[in-house]
Amino acid sequence: FGKATSKNDPAFPAEAFGPAGAIWISQEYPLAPAATLDDMVACTRRAVAWVHEHAARFGGDPSRIFLCGNSAGGHLVAMAAATDWAAQGLPADLIKGVTTLSGLFDLIPLTHTSANGWLHLDLAAAVRNSPMFHLPDLPCPLICAVGEAEPPEFIAQSATFAEVWRQKGHPSAYLPMPGLNHFSIVTELGNTQSPLTRAMFEQIGVAT
């Protein structure tokens, strides 16, 4: 999952994950300012529920759903992982693992930036949509990756989120990526020899 003009744009990891035995699915979601952050989170949750319902149709296993998101997508998959799926009539442990790439997990600082001119977040919406304050109740492994060439705020948020996840009692791996920035880190998903991709293969339980 990740922000792109089309769900086809971030589909390239399928070339790495497919031969390893995984099925890669890309999602589109509505963008601000036409859509609110609540809309984006709700869209992602509907997409995950759709995958669970239809997985068997394309050879997938509905009991083995893992999420990955880059940038805004990292925020969205973290929110999806914290969803009360049982309240929607789905397995409580629907999500078996999460990987975030250079995400933001505490949105309160955004309310004081120019970005809020199109996000339109008030404090309540920022808290409601901050994964830092909404963690899964059931154990769920996390890989929290961030480029070491990122702005300090992204690095700090990823390191803190990985630690908060660990303190919740869930498996957590913080993975700083040397030499990579906010845009180059996602290309690692097409490299089967990347530490990021290999960590994801191990999390999913497919061949390296």
Side-chain angles (χ1 to χ4, degrees):
F1 295 100
K3 178 181 178 181
T5 56
S6 164
K7 64 180 181 296
N8 296 323
D9 295 333
F12 70 90
E15 297 178 5
F17 283 77
I23 297 174
W24 184 273
I25 299 173
S26 298
Q27 178 212 344
E28 292 181 24
Y29 57 88
L31 303 178
T36 67
L37 207 52
D38 289 310
D39 295 330
M40 299 176 205
V41 170
C43 179
T44 301
R45 287 169 171 159
R46 289 195 301 271
V48 173
W50 183 94
V51 169
H52 179 268
E53 180 181 356
H54 297 280
R57 295 187 183 183
F58 43 82
D61 184 346
S63 69
R64 297 185 64 210
I65 295 176
F66 297 81
L67 304 182
C68 175
N70 169 237
S71 187
H75 160 265
L76 291 175
V77 297
M79 287 297 295
T83 303
D84 183 357
W85 295 108
Q88 301 185 30
L90 296 170
D93 62 345
L94 182 65
I95 307 304
K96 296 302 191 293
V98 181
T99 299
T100 64
L101 284 63
S102 299
L104 286 178
F105 310 103
D106 177 0
L107 303 188
I108 294 176
L110 287 180
T111 63
H112 307 296
T113 69
S114 59
N116 206 33
W118 45 272
L119 280 173
H120 303 299
L121 287 174
D122 58 20
L123 180 59
V127 172
R128 183 169 64 247
N129 289 293
S130 288
M132 198 79 75
F133 311 126
H134 306 283
L135 302 174
D137 290 325
L138 297 177
C140 181
L142 169 71
I143 299 169
C144 193
V146 64
E148 288 191 333
E150 290 274 14
E153 179 69 14
F154 281 93
I155 296 173
Q157 286 222 10
S158 288
T160 301
F161 188 59
E163 177 60 19
V164 168
W165 196 280
R166 185 192 66 80
Q167 291 179 3
K168 179 75 173 180
H170 304 332
S172 175
Y174 173 58
L175 189 61
M177 304 291 291
L180 299 179
N181 59 38
H182 198 74
F183 303 100
S184 61
I185 189 171
V186 70
T187 63
E188 293 293 290
L189 295 176
N191 177 8
T192 58
Q193 300 307 309
S194 167
L196 171 60
T197 305
R198 294 178 72 85
M200 291 178 65
F201 283 177
E202 182 176 353
Q203 182 192 76
I204 297 169
V206 296
T208 58

